[in-house]
């Protein structure tokens, strides 16, 4: 360019590059916010059946605890997992009661002999438990849970499973008809 100074294109490029880096850094935060909204929203996207709302609320509690430093233990029953979250999270009475109500709702939804009625107050219990977990966590853990939530790795796992399914379906044996293959 003629004249002194930095060309406009360089400024635009730097701005676009900076915005792209910022977006990549914020992806885990945006992913968790989207998942939380789906789980605690209408529940339409969560699947069919009476167990879906309770399972979605439970998954949100487990993921929130994981984000704040309490790793999930999928081998435990909901009741044992609730006791573990309350103990490790050092929750107050109100938060502990909310966690136990969520565990009870999941147990009823999964193990009741007949169809369980949707439990009222699941979203409020998740919010109470989440607030109690955040209140008992250190500032660094809260900041990390916000900006780099551990549970966002579930998105990577889901993408990996989808990729594996896709590559399994796209093998040469499935794409090329048998009559075209050389024997």
């Amino acid at each position: 360019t003629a004249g002194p100074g930095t060309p406009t294109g360089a400024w635009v490029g730097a701005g676009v590059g900076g915005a792209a880096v910022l977006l990549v850094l914020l992806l885990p935060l945006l992913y968790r916010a989207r998942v939380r909204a789906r789980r605690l929203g209408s529940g339409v996207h969560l699947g069919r059946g009476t167990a879906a709302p309770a399972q979605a609320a439970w998954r949100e509690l487990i993921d929130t605890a994981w984000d704040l430093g309490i790793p999930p233990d999928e081998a435990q029953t909901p009741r044992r997992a609730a006791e573990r979250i309350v103990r490790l999270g050092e929750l107050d009475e109100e938060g502990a009661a909310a966690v136990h109500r969520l565990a009870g709702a999941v147990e009823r939804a999964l193990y009741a002999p007949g169809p369980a009625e949707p439990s009222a107050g699941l979203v409020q219990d998740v919010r109470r438990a989440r607030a109690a977990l955040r209140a008992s966590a250190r500032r660094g853990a809260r900041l990390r849970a916000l900006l780099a939530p551990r549970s966002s790795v579930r998105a990577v796992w889901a993408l990996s499973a989808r990729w594996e399914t896709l590559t399994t379906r796209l093998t040469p044996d499935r794409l090329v008809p048998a009559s075209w293959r050389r024997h």
Side-chain angles (χ1 to χ4, degrees):
T1 62
T6 306
T8 305
W11 285 109
V12 170
V16 168
V21 167
L22 184 62
L23 179 65
V24 167
L25 292 174
L26 291 178
L27 277 176
L29 175 133
L30 298 171
Y31 169 78
R32 268 304 275 139
R34 179 177 170 261
V35 168
R36 184 177 305 112
R38 281 183 52 211
R39 286 177 179 162
L40 301 181
S42 64
V44 173
H45 304 290
L46 301 174
R48 300 185 191 279
T50 56
Q55 288 176 317
W58 182 250
R59 177 59 67 193
E60 182 56 36
L61 172 67
I62 295 296
D63 283 357
T64 298
W66 188 13
D67 293 343
L68 290 166
I70 303 171
D73 185 354
E74 302 291 335
Q76 292 187 333
T77 64
R79 186 173 304 177
R80 294 284 180 229
E83 290 170 0
R84 183 172 172 268
I85 289 170
V86 168
R87 181 175 38 82
L88 294 176
E90 301 173 355
L91 301 185
D92 60 6
E93 265 187 56
E94 186 178 333
V99 169
H100 287 295
R101 281 193 300 270
L102 287 167
V106 170
E107 287 179 341
R108 281 189 304 278
L110 294 177
Y111 307 122
E117 293 183 25
S119 299
L122 290 174
V123 173
Q124 292 82 3
D125 282 338
V126 171
R127 288 188 178 135
R128 279 187 198 104
R130 188 169 179 261
L133 282 165
R134 287 182 54 74
S136 67
R138 294 182 178 168
R139 181 181 298 159
R142 287 192 308 264
L143 185 62
R144 185 184 188 291
L146 176 68
L147 297 177
R150 291 174 174 103
S151 63
S152 63
V153 75
R154 291 188 196 280
V156 175
W157 293 342
L159 286 173
S160 176
R162 287 181 184 165
W163 179 255
E164 183 178 355
T165 302
L166 179 66
T167 55
T168 302
R169 288 183 186 166
L170 296 179
T171 60
D173 292 341
R174 291 185 174 199
L175 293 176
V176 178
S179 60
W180 293 5
R181 289 188 219 134
R182 292 184 185 168
H183 295 281

